[in-house]
Amino acid sequence: MQNVTPAAPVSAGSGPERPPPGELLRRLRQRHATDPITHVERVPPRAGIAVPWPTWAPEDLRAAYARRGVTAPWRHQAEAAGLAYDRQHVVVATGTASGKSLAYQLPALSTLLADPRATVLYLAPTKALAADQLRAVATLEIEGVRPSCYDGDTPRAEREWIRRHSRFVLTNPDMLHHGILPGHAQWSGFLRRLAYVVVDECHVYRGVFGSHVAHVLRRLRRQCARYRPATGDPGPTFVLASATSGDPADAAGRLTGLPVTAVTEDTSPRAGVTFALWEPPLLPPDPAAIPSPRPAPAGSAPSGSAPSGSAPDGSSSGSSPSGGRPSGGPAHEAADLTQVRRSALRETADLLADTVASGVRTLAFVRSRRGAEVVATSTRRSLDEAVPGLGDRVAAYRGGYLREERRELERALLHGDLLGLASTNALELGVDLIGLDAVLICGYPGTRASLWQQAGRAGRSGQEALAVLIARDDPLDTYLVHHPEAVFGAPVEATVLDPANAYVLGPQLACAAAEAPLTDADLALFGDGAKDTVAALVEAGALRQRPTGWYWRHRERPEVDLRGDGGAPVCVVEAATGRLLGTVDGGSAHFLLHSGAVYLHQGVSYVVDSLDLDDGCALVHPEEPDWSTHARDVTSLSVVSVRSYVDAGPVGLFLGEVDVTSQVVSYQRRRIATGEVIDTRPLDLPARELRTVAVWFTLSPESLATAGVDPADVPGGLHAAEHAAIGLLPLVATCDRWDIGGLSTAVHPDTEAPTVFVYDGHPGGAGFAERAYGMASSWLRATRDAIAECGCEHGCPSCVQSPKCGNGNNPLSKPDAIRVLDVVLANLPE
């Protein structure tokens, strides 16, 4: 437990004058004997460029904005708004707090004022963002607009009124998919007059989720066309808002299926930001952790599965050094290494306590739900020890909370009742958090776009701000904090999505047919592969072909999960009272809610009594054990087909379909204080099967022998290279480490050679493996550099250990991983 020393007398209801970012950073870095800061980047302030209001903007609307302090738009706002008002599809891709909301509000509200029958549909990826935008539109007090949220939290008694009377409906893709489109007849009037569709934070729609949303938008366009008179009406205009990203026009075009113009020059003013890269210090060597090399196992070395077979947010039931899934195993309970870095979760909690004690309003982004709870709980405890009651001004915010809890936390943050908040990326998106002074980012969030979105939460009212990226003990984070040019000098990634993915296209065509029979004209709307996919659905008995089109054959609607989370949410219920505590997505339930798992909710600890997957319910009881729980799984993989390959002599590079089978088989209990493994307990949970896309490379045994890799060390070298390659893939693809999985083996039965596989963790693939295949040389070069530049001797979590290894991080050989990658890079063409 840290000691918190407030910078000035502080009480639970007030705080000292906040220090400027440079002074605050100086105080924070003094907590360690060695300087944890590897780089400080000063992002200079920027003046804004304002332009006059467009002549078409009604005077009433200008006056409404003036009452909110907006006297003129910035140039990029006016440019995007003008394109939209001229009925051109547009995406505005500018920085955080650049006023993208006005770019779509201005043409939409102007049209609603000019045409009393017109309507607007707004889509946000999160409920928090939709609620924030509702507040923003409502405070303009435009007569006759009647803005309303329509989502899963909307009481049923209000839904009919919204359908009939609201002209500005705010919702999310999930409700559009599950509620509005299936009930399109009830929305016929709204869809007939729909003038604008606003897609906010569209860079979030990537991978499988983005591919699903792309077809939901096509289904929306289809229904709009059905209810409009056949007079050449082009349908609603799409206005998209995105964080700065690579090629936003192309990504927006693939998302909507329409030609889209991009506005990318940010002309808003920006306060200066001090951005620090922070590497937690090494912990003192543990004399009990003695290296214990063992013979390599005869089989393969999986690194655990990705979201369809693991917790997609990387959460575990306790705080491990890498903040993710455990690296130990039943037969490998002693660490292979003598020194590891301090946990990023603990470091973030200490920094959050220090900033709150200094009166600095701070938002800490944490990768997992469990991690957000751990950081908030630890911070509260530290603050209450220093100043009783100050801990009450810190809370956690994450998905899975009930609606009332979320709204109260948002209100408390907006009104300053909270000084510190530990949040998952639920608050990354454009929620207007006025007056935040600092942002702590616990672990690289997976993409540069997300990194800058999170950093941009601070300084939103114009003041100087501080952002700190706290590195986790893993290859990518370690690489980035020692290569600041990869953070500050590299372009933001392009958004990856693949609407042609057959595992997405088929279910979406089934949904479209259930809404209204499909016609030949409809198939062109859904793009390449639609005709073949419909034929496959007919053959499978899902659709029936008639002269008038293809009809859905079943009474029940297709069950399609947009977010690919692996099933319906599982309810967490307190057994003694029947109280609903929250929910966990189906894909994570095997890891987070198995029998015996420790579950945290708002700082209160519970232990799971039972998990009923059929009923989607986990029963828990309150308990404060001195141990945490860590689920473990096993994985196998087989090659189905090869799409493309590169023959590079002794090295082969492949892209193709694979079948992955994974199963959670046990969990460890570990002492919270020491990390000591108490025991490993078996679990009886069903296996999960996944057909997906993988990239893999093979090497000839002769090339490895020539490079100096002893046959006995081949498994360890491949395994270590695989771990590092998975960790570095987000550097070249817009994925998260938990979106992908891997497996390595000295001889795979399908390749008959030493092989390393890296696969997408979603059915049908998410486009990440294709990106890795196309950039294999750059990706593997960065992987090799990350391993070679790490200062450890035998390998550590910063280079080759994986927090989600299903094989206990054994065997691993850092020197042989470098030799393996040298062979690949020497033969693979650039």
Side-chain angles (χ1 to χ4, degrees), residues 28-29 32 36-37 276-280 347 351 468-471 481:
L28 295 178
R29 72 199 309 172
H32 295 303
I37 297 177
L277 304 182
W278 184 290
E279 185 174 43
E347 195 80 348
L351 294 176
V468 182
L469 171 62
I470 299 119
V481 295

Side-chain angles (χ1 to χ4, degrees), residues 6-10 14-20 23-24 27 355-361 437:
V10 64
S14 65
E17 181 179 350
R18 80 175 175 89
E23 171 60 20
L24 177 60
R27 295 182 192 176
T355 58
V356 169
S358 297
V360 175
R361 292 186 62 195
D437 306 315

Side-chain angles (χ1 to χ4, degrees), residues 701 703-715 717-718 815-817 819-820 823:
S703 67
L704 292 175
T706 301
V709 182
D710 187 271
D713 295 326
V714 169
L718 295 173
D816 290 307
R819 296 185 184 105
V820 165
V823 171

Side-chain angles (χ1 to χ4, degrees), residues 317 370 572-576 581 592-601 604-611 618-629 667 669 681:
S317 297
R370 168 74 191 191
V572 184
V573 177
E574 188 174 26
L581 299 176
L592 303 183
L593 296 177
H594 58 78
S595 297
V598 176
Y599 175 80
L600 268 182
H601 184 82
V604 179
S605 180
Y606 298 84
V607 173
V608 178
D609 298 317
S610 63
L611 170 63
L619 298 179
V620 302
H621 68 270
E623 184 179 340
E624 294 285 345
D626 64 350
W627 39 264
S628 59
T629 52
Y667 71 97
R669 297 193 305 162
R681 299 190 171 190

Side-chain angles (χ1 to χ4, degrees), residues 156-175:
R156 295 201 173 273
E158 296 179 14
R159 296 188 180 190
E160 176 64 23
W161 185 93
I162 293 172
R163 285 193 294 265
R164 289 181 175 274
H165 302 291
S166 177
R167 299 175 60 216
F168 197 122
V169 172
L170 302 97
T171 187
N172 52 64
D174 307 86
M175 179 56 81

Side-chain angles (χ1 to χ4, degrees), residues 386-403:
V387 181
L390 187 57
D392 293 339
R393 302 192 70 184
V394 174
Y397 185 102
R398 61 172 175 82
Y401 284 172
L402 302 180
R403 177 193 184 188

Side-chain angles (χ1 to χ4, degrees), residues 361-618:
R361 292 186 62 195
T362 307
L363 179 60
F365 283 106
V366 188
R367 299 295 302 277
S368 70
R369 294 179 176 186
R370 168 74 191 191
E373 294 279 5
V374 168
V375 167
T377 300
S378 179
T379 302
R380 285 195 293 261
R381 186 181 302 120
S382 298
L383 289 169
D384 282 336
E385 289 180 356
V387 181
L390 187 57
D392 293 339
R393 302 192 70 184
V394 174
Y397 185 102
R398 61 172 175 82
Y401 284 172
L402 302 180
R403 177 193 184 188
E404 295 74 19
E405 292 176 302
R406 294 196 307 269
R407 297 295 176 264
E408 174 57 27
L409 288 169
E410 292 162 15
R411 186 208 62 78
L413 187 64
L414 288 168
H415 288 79
D417 298 336
L418 290 175
L419 270 178
L421 196 67
S423 172
T424 60
N425 63 359
L427 285 180
E428 171 185 321
L429 306 177
V431 177
D432 195 9
L433 305 177
I434 301 296
L436 290 180
D437 306 315
V439 164
L440 307 175
I441 304 170
C442 181
Y444 183 62
T447 66
R448 297 180 195 89
S450 289
L451 180 72
W452 287 106
Q453 280 287 100
Q454 294 182 3
R457 293 301 99 186
R460 289 179 69 87
S461 57
Q463 74 270 32
E464 293 278 321
L466 174 67
V468 182
L469 171 62
I470 299 119
R472 293 169 301 165
D473 204 2
D474 74 14
L476 180 57
D477 284 35
T478 302
Y479 180 88
L480 291 173
V481 295
H482 290 285
H483 291 81
E485 71 281 359
V487 177
F488 302 107
V492 176
E493 311 89 345
T495 302
V496 176
L497 67 148
D498 179 20
N501 180 341
Y503 286 84
V504 172
L505 181 55
Q508 287 293 331
L509 285 170
C511 290
E515 291 156 6
L518 287 167
T519 65
D520 284 318
D522 293 330
L523 298 188
L525 182 66
F526 291 94
D528 296 339
K531 190 168 185 178
D532 291 340
T533 303
V534 164
L537 291 170
V538 171
E539 185 176 352
L543 299 183
R544 175 183 290 115
Q545 186 174 8
R546 291 179 176 172
T548 53
W550 290 271
Y551 289 73
W552 177 245
R553 296 187 60 177
H554 306 287
R555 298 184 65 180
E556 301 81 12
R557 282 187 43 77
E559 288 290 335
V560 179
D561 177 12
L562 295 189
R563 298 178 186 261
D565 290 333
V570 175
C571 297
V572 184
V573 177
E574 188 174 26
T577 63
R579 181 169 66 102
L580 176 65
L581 299 176
T583 60
V584 170
D585 64 84
S588 302
H590 288 219
F591 285 88
L592 303 183
L593 296 177
H594 58 78
S595 297
V598 176
Y599 175 80
L600 268 182
H601 184 82
Q602 281 288 21
V604 179
S605 180
Y606 298 84
V607 173
V608 178
D609 298 317
S610 63
L611 170 63
D612 189 325
L613 292 171
D614 294 332
D615 289 342
C617 180

Side-chain angles (χ1 to χ4, degrees), residues 448 491 493-494 496 646 653 655 695 728-734 767-783 825 828-830:
R448 297 180 195 89
E493 311 89 345
V496 176
V646 175
L653 179 70
L655 177 72
V695 58
L728 269 293
L729 183 54
L731 199 63
V732 299
T734 53
F768 307 136
E770 285 94 335
R771 181 76 171 168
Y773 179 78
M775 300 192 67
S777 182
S778 301
W779 165 41
L780 296 176
R781 172 67 61 188
T783 300
L825 292 167
L828 200 64
E830 288 292 334

